[in-house]
Amino acid sequence: MMKSRSAAAPFGIWMTLFTIVPLGIVVWYAFTDKSGAFTFDNIRAIGDYAGTFLSSVAMGAIATVICLVLAYPLAFSISRASERAQQTMVMIIMLPMWMNFLLRTYAWMSLLENNGFINQLLGLIGLGPVNMINTSGAVVLGMVYNFLPFMVLPLYSVMVKIDVRVIEAAQDLGANSLQVLRRVLLPLSVPGIVTGITMVFVPAVSTFVISKLLGGGKQMMIGDFIEMFFLGNAPNYNVGAALSLVLMILILICMGIMNLVDKDDEDGGGLMV
């Protein structure tokens, strides 16, 4: 018992210094004013940003759904390939992640701007220019591009463990492709779906770099306001901390719901009937 506690001590110190203490500082600023006196004014001020919260959640949810729709067939095709092909395709998916996040987003700016490559290409066939930059669609596109690997990899790690004989047995019993997907693949891949949704939705709803670069300040998300309150010309750490606290609670609620869905699926069995 003493040895196990000693082995866990470094983890406990790490969690205390880099998780509990920072969270405590956020809570302190959220419930105090500039003089350090206790107040609820910062929490009340969040009502002014309710619309931004809703739009951030909506855009994050849209990006998450698009990532799931794109990643699911891709992950399945990778899991059914040969071992060498799997390694190659996973490396191709991970390759953009080796580049800096900021540089990847800047690259999309040059592609989507009015004089960018895409509009030049559309102009050659008489369809351009199309206003793509500084729109909500550009922000969602940036989210999908940057966070798609976080959806593909969890799905792939689960699907590669699905025995192909289960799929063949369902087909032998008369199930068509849609029934195999709905009654076999989806239930067995729920853990990967839950993990992928969590890993995509959490950074998508709190991002500020993508919305700033691809939204041009016209598509403000809650992360932009938090950054403004901490790093802007007129910083207000107290309101910024309150916004951060509410955002953390919102993310924790979403993660709890996802974990509950995953747990219910495990308790309920593997296949849908």
Side-chain angles (χ1 to χ4, degrees):
M1 180 67 69
M2 293 298 295
K3 289 183 178 180
S4 61
R5 290 181 178 178
S6 299
F11 176 74
I13 295 172
W14 178 274
M15 288 292 295
T16 301
L17 291 178
F18 299 105
T19 302
I20 298 176
V21 171
L23 286 177
I25 294 173
V26 170
V27 173
W28 168 264
Y29 274 103
F31 289 98
T32 57
D33 57 20
K34 293 183 178 180
S35 64
F38 180 82
T39 180
F40 281 108
D41 291 343
N42 303 318
I43 303 298
R44 296 191 189 100
I46 295 175
D48 298 334
Y49 305 95
T52 305
F53 267 107
L54 292 176
S55 64
S56 299
V57 171
M59 293 176 68
I62 292 172
T64 302
V65 171
I66 294 174
C67 284
L68 179 59
V69 171
L70 295 176
Y72 200 92
L74 178 59
F76 180 75
S77 62
I78 295 175
S79 67
R80 299 301 103 182
S82 64
E83 184 175 349
R84 184 162 184 171
Q86 289 181 30
Q87 295 174 353
T88 302
M89 287 187 281
V90 169
M91 185 187 69
I92 292 174
I93 291 173
M94 291 298 298
L95 196 60
M97 307 299 293
W98 297 354
M99 187 185 301
N100 183 270
F101 179 88
L102 192 60
L103 293 178
R104 297 200 306 268
T105 309
Y106 268 120
W108 273 107
M109 285 182 63
S110 62
L111 289 173
L112 297 177
E113 62 187 9
N114 294 334
N115 296 322
F117 176 77
I118 296 178
N119 267 320
Q120 291 180 11
L121 186 62
L122 292 175
L124 294 176
I125 56 178
L127 297 178
V130 177
N131 183 30
M132 294 179 286
I133 198 70
N134 300 336
T135 62
S136 58
V139 176
V140 171
L141 176 62
M143 292 179 183
V144 172
Y145 172 76
N146 281 291
F147 303 137
L148 183 61
F150 297 118
M151 184 69 77
V152 174
L153 295 179
L155 286 171
Y156 161 73
S157 65
V158 170
M159 288 182 175
V160 75
K161 299 174 184 177
I162 298 177
D163 195 335
V164 67
R165 291 173 294 183
V166 176
I167 300 174
E168 293 173 350
Q171 292 172 336
D172 290 341
L173 292 172
N176 56 36
S177 299
L178 183 60
Q179 290 173 325
V180 170
L181 174 64
R182 185 171 63 87
R183 296 187 176 184
V184 179
L185 289 179
L186 282 176
L188 293 177
S189 58
V190 164
I193 294 174
V194 171
T195 302
I197 289 175
T198 303
M199 293 182 66
V200 172
F201 180 75
V202 170
V205 77
S206 58
T207 186
F208 63 92
V209 173
I210 296 175
S211 55
K212 177 181 289 186
L213 296 181
L214 299 183
K218 298 179 181 178
Q219 306 296 326
M220 296 286 286
M221 298 184 65
I222 197 61
D224 296 295
F225 284 104
I226 293 174
E227 187 220 9
M228 181 181 66
F229 281 123
F230 280 100
L231 302 176
N233 296 326
N236 189 331
Y237 296 163
N238 303 99
V239 176
L243 289 173
S244 301
L245 181 62
V246 173
L247 182 60
M248 283 191 293
I249 293 173
L250 176 64
I251 290 173
L252 287 175
I253 291 173
C254 294
M255 292 177 64
I257 293 173
M258 288 294 99
N259 290 333
L260 184 62
V261 171
D262 191 16
K263 184 177 183 300
D264 289 343
D265 180 78
E266 291 178 356
D267 293 341
L271 301 179
M272 297 174 61
V273 295

